[in-house]
Structure formats: C-alpha cells, structure tokens
Amino acid sequence: MVARGLSYRDAGVDLDASEAMHRLASRLLAGRREAYTSSIELGGYELVLHVDGVGTKTLVLERTGRMRVAGWDCVVMNTNDVACDAARPLALVDYIAMPRADERVFREVLEGVREAAEATGAALLGGETAVLPGLAGGVDVVCTVLAVREKGWRGNRAKPGDVLLGLESSGLHANGYSLARRIVEERLGGYDTVVESVRLGEELSKPVANYTAFLLEAWRRGLITAAAHVTGGAFTKVKRILPHGSAAVMEMPELPAIFRILMEAGRVEPREAYRVWNMGIGLVVAAPGDRAEEALSLAERMGHRAHLLGRVEEAEGEEPAVVLETMYGRIVY
Amino acid sequence: MVARGLSYRDAGVDLDASEAMHRLASRLLAGRREAYTSSIELGGYELVLHVDGVGTKTLVLERTGRMRVAGWDCVVMNTNDVACDAARPLALVDYIAMPRADERVFREVLEGVREAAEATGAALLGGETAVLPGLAGGVDVVCTVLAVREKGWRGNRAKPGDVLLGLESSGLHANGYSLARRIVEERLGGYDTVVESVRLGEELSKPVANYTAFLLEAWRRGLITAAAHVTGGAFTKVKRILPHGSAAVMEMPELPAIFRILMEAGRVEPREAYRVWNMGIGLVVAAPGDRAEEALSLAERMGHRAHLLGRVEEAEGEEPAVVLETMYGRIVY
C-alpha cells in the first residue's frame, strides 16, 4: 500500500474552517486594528492585548520531558506578535489547563513562563491553573500579553520597493504540530527516531525564537516598515503586511532538514507545507531599500541568522499575493 | 450498597493540590498584589490583567445547547473579579480550545462574549481559537480582561466592625462543576431529570450573575471597604479580604434547592460543599456600619437580591477565619 499524502485537514485541523471562524470574530473586534493586534487608547498610550497558546506541541513536550518549553513558548509567541505591531510587552498572565493536578508539570511550565517574562520584559501579573477532568485530554498552555505603544505609530504596512528580510526559526516553533505529530507517530516510528542525524523528539521540542528585542529596536530606529511573524497559516500571514496591489516575492533559503523529513515522510504537498510550517523562517520584516543592510546587521548582532529574501513588488489585483521561490518550484498564495 | 459521600477530590479535582500550585505561582508574581489581581503602573493608572475560564461547565452547556452562556461567563467571571479590586474593565481577549473546528459552537460562544463585553464595558480586542485534536476533549472557554484603576486606591481589605452583605448568585455560576456533573450524571439520572421542580440541566446552565456595575459604583461612592467574589474555593475566598486577627461571621440565608439536591444526592459533607459551591451567595462585600444600608439598597436598585449576613469581628490567631452559620450547623474555615 502506498502511503497517502497528508494535509493539515487529515490531521484534524481544517485551516479553511479556522479562517472562516477568524473572519467571523474579526467583525466583532473593537479598537485600532493592526496586522497582529488591536489596541485601545489610555492617556498618551495605545494598549494592546493579545492571546496565544502552544497548541498540541505540549503533547510532544510532555513525552520529551520539556514542558518548560511550553511556558517559554506561550509567552514568546505572544511577545513576537505584539512586537511585530511595535508594542512593548508590559505584563502577562498565563492559563494552564490539565486533566489532573500535576505539580511537576506545573512547576516546569511556570519556570518557562518566568524565564520568558524576564527575557521579554513583561511582568507576570497572574494566572489560572484549571484542573479539568473529562475536558482536558492533555496540558494546554496559553498566555495573554499586555503591551504598550506610544500614540502616533504609522502602522505595520510594507510598501512596494521595500526589501524583505527573513530571520531563521528554531525549528517548528509552536505551529503545525497536529500534522507533524501524526507524521512522526504514524510514519517515522515516534519521537526517539533519528533521521539524517535529526533526533525527532528533540527537534520538535525546541523553544520558539525570541524576536521581540530585535523588533522593538528595529522599530525604534526606523529600520523596518512592517513585520510578519510566521505562525498559524505560515507564509500566508505575510499578506497581512502588504498593501493592496502588491506582492511579496521571496526566494526561500535552504530548507532545514526537519521540514524536508516531515514533507517526505508525510508526502505533504509543498503548497500545504508552506502554509502550515515556517520552513526555517520565523519572521519576515520589510525594510526601506536604504535601511535593509542596517536591519540585517542589527539582526545578526542580536544573535539571529538573517537572510535577504526578496522585495515587495507592485502587482495586479486587489488582494496582495505572496510568491515563494522554493526548491519545489514557485508557490503563490 | 450505600452510596459513598462524594468530595471534590473524588470528582478529580484536588483543592489542596490546586492551592499548593497557587502558592507556588504567587511567589513569582510581580506588581501590586490585591485580593484578586495584581497591577502595574502606567502614567497615572494602575493596570490590572486577569484571566479565568469557565471550566467543565462547558461540558454541561454543550449538552443543553447553551454554549452562549460559556462566552458570557468567561467575561463576567473576570470582570466580577477585577471589580472586586475596584478596577474598571477596559478590554478583553477570549481563548477557545476545541477538539475540531465547530463553527456553530464558535458562533454561540462568541455571541455570549460580545453580549458580556457590552454589558461590562470591555472592548473585545482579539481572541484565539485553537483546534486541538488529541488535546482538547471538549470546548474550553477562557478570557483575559484588562482593567484600570486610578492610582491611590486604598485596597480590598475589610476591617473589624464592618458589616458583611451577600448578593445572591444565579445558580452554581462557573465553579464546582466537576463534582456537580458527577452527581447529576451518576446519581440523579442526568440533565433531563427534574427534582423538586428543578430541571437539572437548565439549572446548571444559568449564566453567572454580573456584579461588575454594582461593585464599581459601590467603590466609587465609598460604600464598601472590601469585596469577595465567591468562586473557586467558595467561602474560603472570603479570607482574602480579612485582616490578621479577624473573622467573618456570617449567617447564611436559606439554601437554594439545587445545592441541597446536589448535597443530598452526592452525600457531600457540608464543610466540603461550602468550599466548592457558592451556596446561593455569589458575592460578599464589607461595608462600614454607617454605609451598609446604602450599599444594600444600591444592590437592590441594581437588580440584585442582597442579604445582611453578619460582621467582621476581632478574633484570636494570625490567620483570619470564616465562620458560617448554616442549616447544617456552624462551619469554620
């Protein structure tokens, strides 16, 4: 029997249905809308509130004994998002749901939260740990971050001619795990398997890269016009920072082994893979042509590996487009 | 066989373990600590961030087709808490975890969130809907609220001599459902059962009472010195608003039928029941003797049924005590 190619929908996640729900919710949102966040004014400030969770990555972290990473990730996923919209993290609260009170897991998660709060400058103001027998089938870890911006920020929007830079990810971050897990568990023999020197469990337990400090500094210096955190929906998310009648045209750098391994074992279509996983690039920023060099070197100095990916070009059509030149050919969203 | 008496621990929730985790987390918290929330300063304001979820009540609401109540509850649980600490809701984000994308459930929950956001004056700034196959065994609904207080507030602390008032709850609110569900499902024949004219499913699907506007107005007028939202831990929570060397002595009003029915069917010890469920009183406030009458009439005018419960008395010992005179005799925590 030839193994069938897997999509995110096969793994139980219907991105189209999720997007429909997202559109529905968007209609109810109040405040100033930006690419990742909405804000309200208070005094001379714009306050941003943002929530995100680690998703089914916790199911891997439980097996590999790395629940501390769940705490780290839930903070950093959020602070990366708010910093894309030029907001500085001020405070956070965490939410942990578990099927039974497990103090060891709780301690580990909280230790990761504490570390990340320190690394991103957010004060931990509270949290809720819910013991939910019959509802939680595993540990769910979620954080909400409060962030602040001075009034008068111009917005998260690239313009034609801007240069697009990509900062490398540290593995899958916290997205696309339902599909990755299915492939690892059903087709690669589990998390102890080593493929091409990649130990799968270890690779899938890496913490999310922290782009927060780089983003805030790049915004402060006026080095960037826009930033897209490559999370749920992966490279389709770059559309959010594009103006009407434009396209982000990017040549993707060499694909890290883990993504190739998952694609091959799961026979995942490239078009599907690039909208589920970050494929090695966790953050895309747009810089005016004359600041791109400086943005690139700031990223490198702050410990990130960065790539020149391409440009924002003018294009036909209302809806902006994302054009990826990949080792599998051109993909257009 | 004589049915054994049930405790919250039997239902899978170990309150002692939960309290140990709570103490551990408390040590990591930053900001100004109050009875329910912590805050940080920004400009002339104190900003409060607070998270709470609906817990396993959603498992009942799914069966009774009332998921809208989950949305309402997740907002109001939070706004009641922050308003106990005199903070006015400004904004909120919601988090919904589900085993598969279910747009109908999503719509209903969101409609409840929208209603409650309007009723409490909080702007909906965002949300996350996570589809978590293999992790979520049901729908989990959580909200985070951002609230604000002017600097200079004296704190949420009663003093000896204060009069204690109780505002009625609208059923179980969103606490103690793991135990209630077990009793209804295993000993009362399920949610369609009617006992003493109480239709169990309907009774357990009532929305949380909204005390937010009353609390903010009572604080504004200086009518109260402290407020305790009776949620997880129920009447043990009143300790949070008591000074050292004091006791809250309260005569509990007539017990609503649902609590008696649950206690009898589950053979739940009174001492356990009063630390798991609100037993008909969802909010306890402390008022100086000469303002108690005014606080009581404000509550009634704002649509709440309120009772004079007792007083804060001086008492031996460091740790404050809560003394309840109930139909089952005196209970001391």
Side-chain angles (χ1 to χ4, degrees), chain B residues 220-234:
Chain B
R220 198 185 66 77
R221 296 196 195 178
L223 301 183
I224 58 177
T225 57
H229 192 203
V230 181
T231 55

Side-chain angles (χ1 to χ4, degrees), chain B residues 80-330:
Chain B
N80 284 347
D81 271 3
V82 300
C84 280
D85 283 350
R88 179 172 55 86
L90 271 186
L92 71 94
V93 289
D94 67 286
Y95 171 80
I96 307 172
M98 26 174 83
R100 72 205 70 79
D102 183 334
E103 205 179 313
R104 190 187 54 75
V105 162
F106 176 75
R107 265 176 201 279
E108 284 179 29
V109 172
L110 211 64
E111 179 54 26
V113 167
R114 195 197 56 71
E115 266 182 288
E118 210 172 285
T120 59
L124 181 61
L125 286 192
E128 167 76 2
T129 303
V131 177
L132 305 176
L135 201 167
V139 182
D140 195 18
V141 179
V142 182
C143 282
T144 304
V145 165
L146 168 66
V148 66
R149 196 165 56 210
E150 313 275 312
K151 272 204 270 195
W153 175 63
R154 56 175 289 286
N156 188 354
R157 189 56 60 101
K159 54 182 198 313
D162 281 352
V163 171
L164 294 167
L165 307 174
L167 273 64
E168 289 188 5
S169 62
S170 49
L172 270 67
H173 287 181
N175 290 98
Y177 272 76
S178 292
L179 180 54
R181 283 173 44 238
R182 181 148 174 200
I183 294 168
V184 170
E185 291 170 17
E186 294 179 10
R187 302 199 174 176
L188 287 165
Y191 298 100
D192 293 328
T193 305
V194 180
V195 188
E196 299 176 31
S197 335
V198 176
R199 186 177 298 275
L200 296 176
E202 207 168 286
E203 182 65 33
L204 296 188
S205 298
K206 287 184 178 169
V208 168
N210 177 8
Y211 305 119
T212 308
F214 162 73
L215 284 163
L216 294 175
E217 184 62 16
W219 280 116
R220 198 185 66 77
R221 296 196 195 178
L223 301 183
I224 58 177
T225 57
H229 192 203
V230 181
T231 55
F235 289 92
T236 63
K237 241 175 189 157
V238 176
K239 285 189 187 185
R240 294 193 181 184
I241 64 166
L242 299 175
H244 293 302
S246 76
V249 182
M250 298 186 275
E251 170 114 18
M252 297 301 289
E254 204 190 345
L255 196 58
I258 182 66
F259 298 102
R260 210 172 13 76
I261 293 166
L262 291 171
M263 285 177 73
E264 283 169 15
R267 298 187 59 204
V268 182
E269 293 293 331
R271 192 180 162 71
E272 182 75 357
Y274 283 80
R275 77 166 194 160
V276 172
W277 296 313
N278 68 57
M279 309 304 268
I281 296 295
L283 181 74
V284 174
V285 296
D290 57 350
R291 310 303 297 272
E293 203 52 56
E294 206 179 332
L296 200 69
S297 83
L298 177 68
E300 300 271 3
R301 270 205 315 284
M302 293 182 84
H304 302 285
R305 292 176 61 113
H307 300 265
L308 181 64
L309 298 179
R311 278 191 184 273
V312 180
E313 298 180 1
E314 289 186 16
E316 302 282 306
E318 258 303 87
E319 168 93 346
V322 175
V323 181
L324 304 177
E325 302 290 352
T326 78
M327 62 185 282
Y328 306 100
R330 176 178 294 180

Side-chain angles (χ1 to χ4, degrees), chain A residues 78-110:
Chain A
N78 274 289
T79 61
N80 284 347
D81 271 2
V82 300
C84 280
D85 284 349
R88 179 172 54 85
L90 271 186
L92 72 94
V93 291
D94 67 284
Y95 171 79
I96 307 171
M98 27 173 82
R100 69 205 74 77
D102 182 334
E103 205 177 315
R104 191 187 55 75
V105 162
F106 176 76
R107 265 176 201 280
E108 284 178 30
V109 172
L110 212 62

Side-chain angles (χ1 to χ4, degrees), chain A residues 11 21 24-25 28-30 38 49 52 55 58 93 95 106-107 110 114 124-126 128 132-133 135 137-138 140 142 144, chain B residues 11 21 24-25 28-30 38 49 52 55 58 93-95 106-107 110 124-126 128 132-133 135 137-138 140 142 144:
Chain A
M21 294 195 295
L24 181 67
L28 298 180
L29 292 186
S38 294
L49 202 57
D52 205 358
T58 59
V93 291
Y95 171 79
F106 176 76
R107 265 176 201 280
L110 212 62
R114 194 197 56 71
L124 181 61
L125 287 192
E128 167 73 3
L132 304 176
L135 200 167
D140 194 18
V142 182
T144 303
Chain B
M21 294 195 296
L24 181 66
L28 298 179
L29 293 185
S38 293
L49 203 56
D52 205 358
T58 59
V93 289
D94 67 286
Y95 171 80
F106 176 75
R107 265 176 201 279
L110 211 64
L124 181 61
L125 286 192
E128 167 76 2
L132 305 176
L135 201 167
D140 195 18
V142 182
T144 304

Side-chain angles (χ1 to χ4, degrees), chain A residues 7-330:
Chain A
S7 72
Y8 212 31
R9 187 195 287 258
D10 296 319
V13 180
D14 182 342
L15 276 180
D16 296 321
S18 294
E19 278 161 22
M21 294 195 295
H22 190 265
R23 277 194 300 276
L24 181 67
S26 290
R27 287 206 292 276
L28 298 180
L29 292 186
R32 173 184 174 172
R33 299 283 301 282
E34 274 304 324
Y36 285 87
T37 60
S38 294
S39 62
I40 48 163
E41 290 190 18
L42 182 75
Y45 301 99
E46 290 176 348
L47 296 177
V48 161
L49 202 57
H50 193 58
V51 59
D52 205 358
V54 180
T56 55
K57 182 173 179 178
T58 59
L59 298 175
V60 178
L61 298 173
E62 275 196 278
R63 293 205 189 185
T64 58
R66 302 285 301 281
M67 283 301 284
R68 188 163 165 165
V69 171
W72 168 275
D73 281 5
C74 85
V75 177
V76 174
M77 295 291 291
N78 274 289
T79 61
N80 284 347
D81 271 2
V82 300
C84 280
D85 284 349
R88 179 172 54 85
L90 271 186
L92 72 94
V93 291
D94 67 284
Y95 171 79
I96 307 171
M98 27 173 82
R100 69 205 74 77
D102 182 334
E103 205 177 315
R104 191 187 55 75
V105 162
F106 176 76
R107 265 176 201 280
E108 284 178 30
V109 172
L110 212 62
E111 180 53 26
V113 168
R114 194 197 56 71
E115 265 182 289
E118 212 172 283
T120 59
L124 181 61
L125 287 192
E128 167 73 3
T129 303
V131 178
L132 304 176
L135 200 167
V139 181
D140 194 18
V141 179
V142 182
C143 281
T144 303
V145 165
L146 167 66
V148 67
R149 196 166 57 211
E150 313 275 314
K151 272 203 269 193
W153 174 64
R154 58 175 285 286
N156 187 356
R157 188 57 60 104
K159 54 180 198 315
D162 281 352
V163 170
L164 293 167
L165 306 174
L167 273 64
E168 288 188 5
S169 62
S170 51
L172 271 67
H173 287 179
N175 289 98
Y177 271 76
S178 292
L179 180 55
R181 283 171 45 237
R182 181 147 173 202
I183 294 168
V184 171
E185 292 171 15
E186 294 179 10
R187 302 198 175 175
L188 288 165
Y191 298 100
D192 294 329
T193 303
V194 180
V195 189
E196 300 175 32
S197 331
V198 175
R199 188 177 297 275
L200 296 175
E202 209 168 283
E203 181 64 34
L204 296 188
S205 300
K206 287 184 179 168
V208 168
N210 177 7
Y211 305 119
T212 309
F214 162 74
L215 284 164
L216 294 176
E217 185 61 15
W219 279 116
R220 197 186 65 76
R221 296 197 197 177
L223 301 182
I224 57 176
T225 57
H229 192 204
V230 182
T231 54
F235 289 94
T236 64
K237 241 175 189 157
V238 176
K239 287 190 187 185
R240 293 192 183 185
I241 64 166
L242 298 176
H244 293 303
S246 77
V249 182
M250 299 186 274
E251 170 113 21
M252 298 300 290
E254 202 190 347
L255 197 58
I258 182 66
F259 298 102
R260 210 173 13 79
I261 293 166
L262 290 172
M263 283 177 72
E264 283 168 16
R267 300 187 57 205
V268 181
E269 294 293 332
R271 192 181 163 72
E272 181 76 355
Y274 282 81
R275 75 165 194 161
V276 172
W277 295 313
N278 68 58
M279 309 304 269
I281 296 294
L283 182 75
V284 174
V285 296
D290 58 349
R291 312 303 297 271
E293 204 51 57
E294 205 180 333
L296 199 69
S297 85
L298 176 68
E300 299 273 2
R301 273 206 314 285
M302 294 182 84
H304 302 285
R305 292 177 61 114
H307 300 266
L308 181 65
L309 298 180
R311 279 192 183 271
V312 180
E313 298 180 2
E314 290 187 17
E316 301 282 305
E318 257 302 89
E319 168 93 345
V322 175
V323 181
L324 304 176
E325 302 290 351
T326 78
M327 61 185 283
Y328 306 101
R330 175 178 295 181

